[in-house]
């Protein structure tokens, strides 16, 4: 038996971009079928698991923290970070999306979100501080705004609109429906076919059964694909890994920052329907990945959100060169580490640093912010590591502790079994670093950048420890953290125009087909170019999903 249903629009993928597009459509009076291979109990996709960071420009939060920002500065930072170099081809729409997005971030974005009920933590974070050049990669000022409620807080208003529409019969939530074909009629995409999967009580994010119990075919005047990227498909990650980032790590040494359903399965279907996939060699993976002590999905990794003070060593104990410091240049650090011949690196830090500077990415790792608890958030400034961080210190397989350099290095070598580190060499490195604190001058670039960071009120308050000697026993014990590559985002995808219409090889829209979110490179097939300024992935889903919903409604007349 084949289940059949008709609607004005079909949206494939119930992550943030899909929810935003669907909310726009149902509020405009359109009937929609929202299809997803996972249960409709768990709407929100990867966004639900996120820290909820958003890129805003010239916000009230920035002004209250003494930050002067503008569209001109943000656009200069974006261009220097993106490095668009395919302007006549694969970047032709991406650069237009980028400018439109920065204009939105400096204009309507915050007010629009505020209307939806979204609020922000008052301290603005400074992510991706850059490669050390004025016109290159990085944020010239702090722009990382944390959603009050983290990922679930940004998903909630759009999910509420969709569930209300479903209760009124204007939206069909088709969970456990896996699309296997885009239906094309006379050159126009007119629907989807696929498999109905068995009901599965798996928790959010856990791998669910792929047992097929039925088939379906749904028809519509337009299909919007919002199916996400390839982050958990490690074979595809390795296949498209660019040579400029070195060789990809061995699959068994990577950790996954996204659930198993982030598999890229819709990409060949969209391409088969005539859409063009571009910039597939651009991707965003983190170098501060650690294995989750309580995994929800296979290879479940968590990203450390570090302050600037940890010493960063490669597997052989060499300190990373300037400006490859924690929180400065994700892909620059990744490219450097991929030349070392090893699939891991190390942070070395003190108890004082881990208490002040360590945060963990993800809604579930930040119960205070996710639960909107002011009392719990204030607990972050009290002595001791935050509870989720302490849990990793106690139970995480990548954390070791020592009361001397020699004890710490013995634990580090024991963890990997490689015996690559020499205690006397590590001690000499730390002693040289500590000697830089004997006066107000010095030549250690990391120390200088830490001093500069503490001039920013937000860093001094909650993100950057006061400078101290790592060998000061009162600041100990010493900690080391083994860091692995954490897969996360696809930066390329379906090339789209500014209305999220999927474009074909000839540059013309594929009739009836639209794409938004990560599957479209967050807009245009690659709005970020080669790199991200952070806080831009959720924002790209919001912006492109909104564009898709509004464009489809207008195109249908």
């Amino acid at each position: 038996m084949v289940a059949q249903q008709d609607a004005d629009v079909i949206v494939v993928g119930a992550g943030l971009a899909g929810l935003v597009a669907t909310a726009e459509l149902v509020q405009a009076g359109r009937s929609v079928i929202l299809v997803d291979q996972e249960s409709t109990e768990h709407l929100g996709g990867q966004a639900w698991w996120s820290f909820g960071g958003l890129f805003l420009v010239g916000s009230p939060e920035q002004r209250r923290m003494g930050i002067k920002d503008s569209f001109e500065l943000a656009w200069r930072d974006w261009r220097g970070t993106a490095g668009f170099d395919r302007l006549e081809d694969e970047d032709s729409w991406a650069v237009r999306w980028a400018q439109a997005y920065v204009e939105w971030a400096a204009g309507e974005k915050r007010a629009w979100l505020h209307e939806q009920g979204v609020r922000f933590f008052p301290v603005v974070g400074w992510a991706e501080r850059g490669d050390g050049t004025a016109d290159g990669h990085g944020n010239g000022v702090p722009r990382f705004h944390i959603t009050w409620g983290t990922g679930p807080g940004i998903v909630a208003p759009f999910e509420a609109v969709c569930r209300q529409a479903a209760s009124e019969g204007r939206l069909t939530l088709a969970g456990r429906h896996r699309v296997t074909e885009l239906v094309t009629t006379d050159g126009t995409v007119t629907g989807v076919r696929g498999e109905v999967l068995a009901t599965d009580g798996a928790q959010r994010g856990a791998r669910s059964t792929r047992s097929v119990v039925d088939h379906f075919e749904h028809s519509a005047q337009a299909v919007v694909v919002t199916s996400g990227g390839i982050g958990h498909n490690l074979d595809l990650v390795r296949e498209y890994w660019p040579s400029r980032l070195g060789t990809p790590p061995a699959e068994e040494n990577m950790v996954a920052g996204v659930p198993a359903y982030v598999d890229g399965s819709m990409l060949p279907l969209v391409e088969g329907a005539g859409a063009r996939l571009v910039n597939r060699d651009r991707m965003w993976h983190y170098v501060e990945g650690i294995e989750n002590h309580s995994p929800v999905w296979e290879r479940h990794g968590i990203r450390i959100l570090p302050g600037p003070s940890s010493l960063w060593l490669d597997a052989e104990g060499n300190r990373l060169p300037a400006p490859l410091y924690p929180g400065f240049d994700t892909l620059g650090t990744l490219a450097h580490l991929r030349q070392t011949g090893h699939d891991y690196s190390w942070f070395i830090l003190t108890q004082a640093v881990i208490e002040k500077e360590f945060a963990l990415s993800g809604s579930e790792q930040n119960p205070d912010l996710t639960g909107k608890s002011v009392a719990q958030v204030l607990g972050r400034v009290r002595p001791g590591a935050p509870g989720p961080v302490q849990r990793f210190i106690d139970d995480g397989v990548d954390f070791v502790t020592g009361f001397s350099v020699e004890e710490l290095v013995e634990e580090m070598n024991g963890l990997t079994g490689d015996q690559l580190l020499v205690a006397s060499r590590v001690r000499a490195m730390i002693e040289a670093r500590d000697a830089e604190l004997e006066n107000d001058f010095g030549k250690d670039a990391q120390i200088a950048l830490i001093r500069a960071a503490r001039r920013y009120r937000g860093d001094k308050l909650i993100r950057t420890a006061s400078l101290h000697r790592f060998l000061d026993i009162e600041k100990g014990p010493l900690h080391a953290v083994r860091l692995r590559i954490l897969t996360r985002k696809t930066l390329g995808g379906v090339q789209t125009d500014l209305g999220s219409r999927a474009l074909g090889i000839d540059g013309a829209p594929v009739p009836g087909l639209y794409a938004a979110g990560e599957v479209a490179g967050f807009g245009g097939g690659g709005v970020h170019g080669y790199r991200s300024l952070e806080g831009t992935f959720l924002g790209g889903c919001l912006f492109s999903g909104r564009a898709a919903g509004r464009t489809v409604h207008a195109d249908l007349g």
Side-chain angles (χ1 to χ4, degrees):
M1 177 180 178
V2 177
Q4 294 182 321
Q5 189 173 350
D6 295 341
D8 293 333
V9 185
I10 296 168
V11 177
V12 182
L16 181 59
L19 291 178
V20 173
T22 300
E24 289 285 338
L25 286 161
V26 297
Q27 288 174 323
R30 299 294 180 181
S31 61
V32 181
I33 304 172
L34 177 56
V35 177
D36 197 279
Q37 60 185 341
E38 300 303 316
S39 169
T40 55
E41 294 178 7
H42 307 313
L43 301 180
Q46 298 175 63
W48 190 93
W49 292 98
S50 75
F51 193 37
L54 288 170
F55 175 93
L56 295 172
V57 178
S59 71
E61 290 78 15
Q62 286 177 303
R63 290 192 291 273
R64 283 192 288 267
M65 296 301 293
I67 302 163
K68 297 180 180 179
D69 201 5
S70 66
F71 165 76
E72 291 76 17
L73 175 58
W75 181 227
R76 183 167 73 240
D77 287 348
W78 194 291
R79 292 197 313 273
T81 294
F84 294 118
D85 58 3
R86 303 166 182 173
L87 294 174
E88 300 302 318
D89 188 19
E90 294 182 77
D91 286 336
S92 59
W93 282 101
V95 70
R96 283 179 268 188
W97 269 92
Q99 182 168 349
Y101 177 74
V102 177
E103 289 172 348
W104 189 58
E108 181 193 2
K109 180 180 180 182
R110 187 185 180 281
W112 180 71
L113 288 170
H114 203 269
E115 290 175 359
Q116 317 298 322
V118 175
R119 300 294 184 267
F120 297 101
F121 185 62
V123 178
V124 182
W126 197 348
E128 288 297 298
R129 302 181 188 217
D131 63 5
T133 62
D135 58 354
H137 168 61
N139 285 294
V141 298
R143 297 190 177 103
F144 191 82
H145 295 66
I146 301 169
T147 301
W148 188 235
T150 67
I154 199 70
V155 168
F158 306 102
E159 178 178 356
V161 171
C162 291
R163 292 203 182 277
Q164 179 65 30
S167 71
E168 296 170 355
R170 296 179 290 121
L171 168 65
T172 299
L173 294 172
R176 305 299 290 152
H177 281 52
R178 179 172 61 187
V179 174
T180 59
E181 182 183 353
L182 293 177
V183 179
T184 301
T185 305
D186 296 328
T188 298
V189 175
T190 56
V192 296
R193 295 191 183 104
E195 300 165 336
V196 180
L197 305 177
T199 300
D200 191 316
Q203 70 180 102
R204 181 189 290 268
R207 185 181 292 276
S208 58
T209 181
R210 290 298 180 258
S211 297
V212 177
V213 297
D214 204 346
H215 294 81
F216 70 89
E217 180 173 344
H218 298 324
S219 300
Q221 299 176 64
V223 174
V224 183
V225 177
T226 57
S227 55
I230 66 171
H232 201 100
N233 189 332
L234 301 186
D235 289 337
L236 275 183
V237 169
R238 288 171 55 81
E239 179 181 347
Y240 288 102
W241 188 281
S243 60
R244 64 180 175 274
L245 294 179
T247 58
E251 184 173 321
E252 62 270 18
N253 292 333
M254 290 192 281
V255 288
V258 293
Y261 57 73
V262 185
D263 58 8
S265 60
M266 283 298 299
L267 289 169
L269 305 186
V270 173
E271 189 173 34
R276 185 187 185 201
L277 304 182
V278 297
N279 297 315
R280 300 196 71 178
D281 61 320
R282 296 178 182 170
M283 51 186 68
W284 186 259
H285 305 306
Y286 292 108
V287 281
E288 312 99 339
I290 53 177
E291 185 177 327
N292 194 342
H293 54 71
S294 303
V296 177
W297 54 82
E298 296 93 335
R299 303 182 186 276
H300 187 170
I302 298 294
R303 185 203 174 195
I304 294 172
L305 301 172
S309 298
S310 297
L311 278 176
W312 204 334
L313 310 183
D314 67 22
E316 297 181 2
N318 302 300
R319 189 176 177 188
L320 270 60
L324 303 182
Y325 304 128
F328 277 74
D329 184 355
T330 293
L331 289 197
T333 306
L334 175 59
H336 174 82
L337 289 172
R338 294 314 308 144
Q339 304 301 321
T340 67
H342 301 282
D343 289 347
Y344 64 92
S345 62
W346 294 100
F347 278 164
I348 290 181
L349 63 162
T350 64
Q351 178 69 19
V353 171
I354 210 167
E355 289 182 7
K356 181 88 170 189
E357 296 192 4
F358 260 37
L360 302 167
S361 182
S363 55
E364 84 284 12
Q365 299 297 331
N366 295 275
D368 51 353
L369 293 164
T370 302
K372 302 181 180 180
S373 170
V374 174
Q376 290 182 31
V377 170
L378 290 175
R380 293 186 179 225
V381 301
R382 300 189 186 112
V389 173
Q390 187 62 49
R391 178 73 189 281
F392 271 95
I393 295 172
D394 295 338
D395 299 334
V397 298
D398 297 303
F399 286 68
V400 295
T401 301
F403 289 89
S404 69
V405 173
E406 290 70 24
E407 181 182 354
L408 185 72
V409 170
E410 182 178 0
E411 292 291 329
M412 294 164 75
N413 282 330
L415 178 61
T416 65
D418 293 339
Q419 303 299 314
L420 295 174
L421 302 173
V422 178
S424 61
R425 188 162 173 257
V426 174
R427 173 174 283 279
M429 191 180 308
I430 296 175
E431 288 175 344
R433 179 258 180 211
D434 285 358
E436 289 287 294
L437 305 182
E438 292 176 0
N439 58 58
D440 292 336
F441 302 95
K443 61 183 179 181
D444 188 294
Q446 186 173 10
I447 299 297
L449 287 166
I450 293 168
R451 286 182 171 133
R454 284 183 59 83
R455 291 202 297 268
Y456 168 50
R457 192 184 315 156
D459 274 353
K460 187 173 183 178
L461 181 65
I462 63 171
R463 288 297 285 151
T464 304
S466 58
L467 279 166
H468 59 272
R469 292 184 298 111
F470 273 25
L471 296 181
D472 183 346
I473 60 173
E474 294 184 358
K475 301 296 185 180
L478 291 167
H479 298 280
V481 186
R482 176 180 58 184
L483 307 171
R484 289 179 270 181
I485 307 304
L486 175 82
T487 63
R488 186 59 66 88
K489 293 299 181 187
T490 308
L491 299 188
V494 181
Q495 192 169 44
T496 58
D497 66 11
L498 289 174
S500 290
R501 301 176 186 88
L503 303 177
I505 297 296
D506 60 358
V510 177
L513 184 60
Y514 303 75
E518 189 172 355
V519 75
F522 301 95
V527 68
H528 296 94
Y530 287 94
R531 288 182 170 93
S532 167
L533 288 171
E534 289 287 24
T536 56
F537 300 127
L538 293 179
C541 290
L542 293 167
F543 190 51
S544 62
R546 190 178 84 147
R550 294 182 178 187
T551 301
V552 170
H553 174 62
D555 286 353
L556 296 186

